[in-house]
Amino acid sequence: MTLSPKFLYLSELGTGNGDGWQLSQYEIAAVLAYTYTGTAPDSTLIDLAEEEALSDPNVRYAQAKRLLNTPAASEYLNQFFISLLQILPERLSDKGTLPENIAAAMWDELRLLMPEIILKDKGGLRELYSPGYTFVNKALAVHYGIEASGLDDGMSKVGSQIYGGLINMGAFYATVSEENNTHPIFRARILRENLLCYDLGTPIDFNSEGLRAPKIASTREFWTAVNGPDAANGDCWGCHKYMNDIGFAVDVFGDDGKHREEETRLIDGQEYVYTLLTDGMLNSIDGKNIPITGLTGGSGLAAAYGNSNQAAFCLGEQYLKFTRGGVKNREDIVYLKAVYDRSEQIVEMFAAQARLPSFINRN
């Protein structure tokens, strides 16, 4: 048994149907299970396979909805968003500037928040980016500056306009930061490429000749001087115009995952305090350039993402890549986006994948 390829690989051999091949009933059962729960099919799927019922897209859709209501689906959904934001749990727990109990609570916040928004509340993109709540325990609430009365060591759902949402989580910002360095451009590249599917390509070789970077400056002043529109090395702005202002908007989260209004920079052993300037321009989203005023609020970055057709289309594309390893037919993404437009529910978009002909056919 252990020498069989089927012991290691998800079987997709199927039977020929002229243009390619269609998965067998048991293979469809396996694909459904691994797509939505990341594990093997249960007895219900096996029974449907025995009845040869899984060729029916409506049956597959009903099973997708059923599977998405299981605990395994919540855990697997988290794996999708963890990969999307490139959050490394070991990076979070090993971060020397973050107490172990705070790192663990941030990880729990992430694991509880995404299933709550998508699977329980059946939210759409606006809720994904600005749900109005998050999960904290007493220690994390104190760390974040949230009212902690009535909280204990267990995680509780609390209202918050600052924390919560896909790009308002301490776990993401703490993971991609170093001590005294929030890496705003690196953060912005992740949020631009992975959440808007805007490929920035390979960075060009940096030529430091003529660089006029101020030694004593805020993070925004430094990066604007290095790669802004008027930087001496002007080649950088062609890509950085799509990243810089995103990075400055999310710089309100420090390297410890806490929201802040000021930054403290240590330069030659001396501390300099700067007020964070977070307004800017979100270039090329839905074919437009949109002014943003920081991260949260009605005109903030989170709201712009939550109301974006491009962000919705990208979410469908990334979900197909995560569950299938790639996208061979762009019409599949168009279909998922149309489902989302009708329902305004992310869970409906995800479940609708099971209806696609490409779900059971290979070429």
Side-chain angles (χ1 to χ4, degrees):
M1 182 182 72
T2 59
L3 292 177
S4 168
K6 294 182 181 180
F7 185 75
L8 292 176
Y9 299 105
L10 184 64
S11 174
E12 293 188 341
L13 298 178
T15 56
N17 60 6
D19 296 329
W21 65 93
Q22 181 175 306
L23 302 184
S24 72
Q25 292 293 302
Y26 293 103
E27 288 172 334
I28 297 172
V31 170
L32 275 166
Y34 280 101
T35 294
Y36 294 108
T37 65
T39 190
D42 59 12
S43 60
T44 300
L45 289 174
I46 297 299
D47 289 344
L48 289 168
E50 290 178 354
E51 297 167 9
E52 298 187 354
L54 294 177
S55 295
D56 185 337
N58 293 324
V59 173
R60 297 197 304 272
Y61 169 76
Q63 289 305 303
K65 294 295 292 290
R66 178 182 70 83
L67 292 170
L68 283 166
N69 282 315
T70 63
S74 295
E75 291 299 323
Y76 199 52
L77 181 70
N78 282 325
Q79 293 304 315
F80 169 58
F81 285 106
I82 288 165
S83 67
L84 203 59
L85 292 177
Q86 300 179 20
I87 296 175
L88 302 174
E90 63 274 14
R91 178 74 182 88
L92 184 62
S93 60
D94 291 345
K95 192 172 179 62
T97 57
L98 209 57
E100 184 177 340
N101 66 322
I102 299 299
M106 284 183 178
W107 187 247
D108 287 339
E109 176 189 18
L110 164 63
R111 291 177 59 252
L112 292 168
L113 191 58
M114 294 299 104
E116 183 82 4
I117 295 170
I118 295 171
L119 302 181
K120 183 178 179 181
D121 290 349
K122 295 180 171 51
L125 248 71
R126 284 186 289 274
E127 291 76 26
L128 178 65
Y129 287 100
S130 303
Y133 60 79
T134 192
F135 286 87
V136 295
N137 59 14
K138 184 173 183 179
L140 186 59
V142 171
H143 181 76
Y144 282 164
I146 295 174
E147 173 59 46
S149 59
L151 298 177
D152 53 25
D153 292 339
M155 302 296 288
S156 299
K157 184 177 178 179
V158 299
S160 176
Q161 299 303 316
I162 293 177
Y163 296 95
L166 190 59
I167 58 176
N168 296 65
M169 288 186 294
F172 170 61
Y173 294 108
T175 298
V176 298
S177 301
E178 302 286 349
E179 186 176 0
N180 298 319
N181 188 345
T182 54
H183 290 302
I185 308 304
F186 178 53
R187 293 173 169 185
R189 180 165 187 147
I190 294 173
L191 300 185
R192 165 65 73 169
E193 290 196 326
N194 294 5
L195 302 185
L196 294 178
C197 295
Y198 193 105
D199 186 7
L200 292 163
T202 304
I204 61 172
D205 291 334
F206 180 69
N207 182 6
S208 60
E209 292 184 10
L211 177 64
R212 296 189 297 271
K215 184 176 182 180
I216 300 176
S218 67
T219 299
R220 180 167 188 152
E221 289 170 333
F222 174 84
W223 284 111
T224 300
V226 170
N227 52 39
D230 300 320
N233 191 322
D235 292 339
C236 297
W237 185 240
C239 288
H240 278 270
K241 65 183 177 182
Y242 301 113
M243 294 186 288
N244 281 25
D245 284 4
I246 294 177
F248 301 145
V250 300
D251 210 32
V252 291
F253 280 93
D255 64 290
D256 55 2
K258 291 172 59 174
H259 191 271
R260 60 186 188 163
E261 295 182 356
E262 298 178 334
E263 67 168 336
T264 301
R265 299 200 69 204
L266 186 64
I267 304 171
D268 290 342
Q270 183 172 347
E271 288 188 348
Y272 296 84
V273 178
Y274 298 94
T275 299
L276 292 172
L277 305 177
T278 59
D279 294 358
M281 185 70 68
L282 179 55
N283 285 309
S284 189
I285 180 171
D286 297 342
K288 300 174 288 186
N289 297 333
I290 301 176
I292 52 174
T293 54
L295 177 56
T296 58
S299 57
L301 181 69
Y305 272 61
N307 290 295
S308 166
N309 283 313
Q310 187 175 342
F313 191 86
C314 182
L315 186 65
E317 179 178 351
Q318 296 285 33
Y319 189 66
L320 287 176
K321 288 179 179 178
F322 176 75
T323 54
R324 298 193 190 183
V327 180
K328 294 183 178 180
N329 184 359
R330 191 167 179 82
E331 291 304 310
D332 287 352
I333 312 174
V334 173
Y335 172 76
L336 296 186
K337 175 61 166 58
V339 170
Y340 175 76
D341 288 341
R342 291 194 299 270
S343 66
E344 294 189 342
Q345 294 181 10
I346 294 171
V347 68
E348 284 294 328
M349 173 197 277
F350 289 174
Q353 180 188 175
R355 291 187 187 271
L356 290 168
S358 61
F359 192 81
I360 64 171
N361 293 298
R362 302 292 182 263
N363 53 36

